[in-house]
Amino acid sequence: IDETVKPNKLYYYIVRAIDGEGRGYDSEVAGPVKPTGELFHSGRKWVLVGLIVLSAVILYSLYTAHEGMRIRRIPGLEAVDEAIGRATEMGRPVLYVLGLAGASSLTTIASMNILAQVAKRCAEYETRLIVPCYDPVVMNIVREIVRNSYSQAGRPDLYRESDIFFLSDVQFAYAAAVDGIMMRERPGAVFLQGYFYAESLILAETANTIGAIQIAGTTADAQLPFFIAACDYTLIGEEMFAASAYLSRDPKLLGTIRGQDIGKLILIFLLLIGVFLELLGVHWLTAFFDISQTR
């Protein structure tokens, strides 16, 4: 396989064999050959098949979605109303932290979807919402999201743009500033939803010292133990991506989750079938998924 070729140019090849004493022997010249582009990588045909199957399953799930669809109970999301209600009863604000990833991060996007639902609840309960941001681009997006949520709740007059602000794009400067906000504002509920690094335990422990109820969530495996130890509830991995559908109960969003779960079941089934066939000495399924095949 030659990855250095350019399209539509002629190439000649010689294979040189080296013996144990270092002497070289050349083959006859092979060529000319001309590389041409392909519509897709023929060695990854299973990706195309998988895309078609998964798309069909998700489209079917969307078409058959309805409001009564059941979704597994997630304690951390069940506690959202409790956390905001507690902050309201105590006369304290709600603090929402989106983590340290940028606007292009899937984890940040999932966190924004959760924030939209949290902001709507805060508007309904007339509870102040504070959102300090690590990224100025995220800040501007979040302002629009929160403004829309307050409008949907019928309380656009309660929206305060100044409560959604940029702090710092330096990791521990941001963590220190958020801790300062916690100590001064003493929020009744703290949401730590996003991608976090070494500052995760610092934030969680500070919120714990002021007696706030904490709902954390991240896809960073290394930070999950700290959140589990220090927070009241923790969303683990894909639970963050399901949160928007879980909180809104939108049939279309619930349909996408069901479609993805069916796709995962299909993959698990293929893995089990593949293992069984390999034990029997049948290798066609393994060969089908082999990405090392020539193009």
Side-chain angles (χ1 to χ4, degrees):
I1 297 176
D2 186 355
E3 300 283 358
T4 64
V5 296
K6 295 182 180 180
N8 300 318
K9 287 191 175 183
L10 297 177
Y11 291 87
Y12 296 84
Y13 290 91
I14 293 175
V15 178
R16 172 167 294 173
I18 307 296
D19 63 16
E21 298 178 0
R23 291 174 299 198
Y25 301 90
D26 293 343
S27 70
E28 295 182 358
V29 177
V33 290
K34 183 171 66 174
T36 56
E38 295 181 334
L39 292 177
F40 62 93
H41 191 320
S42 59
R44 297 185 178 180
K45 51 187 177 292
W46 61 271
V47 177
L48 177 62
V49 174
L51 178 63
I52 294 173
V53 173
L54 182 60
S55 298
V57 169
I58 291 178
L59 288 174
Y60 173 78
S61 297
L62 286 173
Y63 182 75
T64 58
H66 54 83
E67 293 184 359
M69 290 177 60
R70 180 183 175 277
I71 187 169
R72 177 177 64 84
R73 182 177 177 272
I74 302 176
L77 297 176
E78 292 284 339
V80 168
D81 284 335
E82 174 192 347
I84 299 174
R86 176 180 173 182
T88 304
E89 292 175 356
M90 299 173 68
R92 296 183 181 182
V94 172
L95 179 66
Y96 195 102
V97 181
L98 290 109
L100 274 66
S104 61
S105 168
L106 291 177
T107 306
T108 302
I109 295 172
S111 179
M112 290 177 181
N113 290 332
I114 299 173
L115 173 60
Q117 301 302 322
V118 170
K120 190 174 181 179
R121 300 288 200 282
C122 288
E124 293 170 350
Y125 294 159
E126 300 183 11
T127 304
R128 182 185 175 196
L129 174 64
I130 303 174
V131 187
C133 298
Y134 177 81
D135 187 310
V137 176
V138 171
M139 177 195 72
N140 287 296
I141 298 173
V142 165
R143 283 180 172 177
E144 290 302 317
I145 291 173
V146 175
R147 181 186 288 112
N148 290 335
S149 294
Y150 273 69
S151 296
Q152 291 175 9
R155 298 306 307 268
D157 54 303
L158 295 178
Y159 171 70
R160 295 172 58 177
E161 189 172 277
S162 59
D163 281 339
I164 304 171
F165 48 88
F166 170 71
L167 279 179
S168 172
D169 59 359
V170 178
Q171 179 183 12
F172 288 105
Y174 176 79
V178 172
D179 285 349
I181 293 171
M182 291 181 185
M183 298 306 296
R184 291 189 301 271
E185 301 291 346
R186 305 188 74 79
V190 175
F191 291 84
L192 302 172
Q193 301 288 331
Y195 202 92
F196 294 88
Y197 297 91
E199 76 290 339
S200 61
L201 188 58
I202 299 174
L203 297 174
E205 278 300 319
T206 303
N208 191 46
T209 59
I210 62 173
I213 183 171
Q214 296 184 82
I215 301 178
T218 186
T219 57
D221 297 340
Q223 308 308 318
L224 282 172
F226 302 121
F227 281 149
I228 293 172
C231 299
D232 298 281
Y233 301 95
T234 303
L235 304 181
I236 301 175
E238 289 191 349
E239 290 181 345
M240 283 193 66
F241 301 113
S244 179
Y246 191 97
L247 294 173
S248 66
R249 297 292 173 174
D250 186 323
K252 291 184 178 179
L253 294 178
L254 291 173
T256 60
I257 291 177
R258 183 176 69 174
Q260 292 171 31
D261 286 345
I262 294 174
K264 293 171 188 173
L265 288 174
I266 293 174
L267 288 176
I268 293 172
F269 177 75
L270 288 175
L271 285 171
L272 294 176
I273 292 295
V275 171
F276 180 73
L277 291 177
E278 284 293 316
L279 292 174
L280 296 178
V282 180
H283 309 297
W284 67 266
L285 188 61
T286 305
F288 181 77
F289 286 98
D290 185 5
I291 63 174
S292 65
Q293 298 180 50
T294 57
R295 300 181 181 183

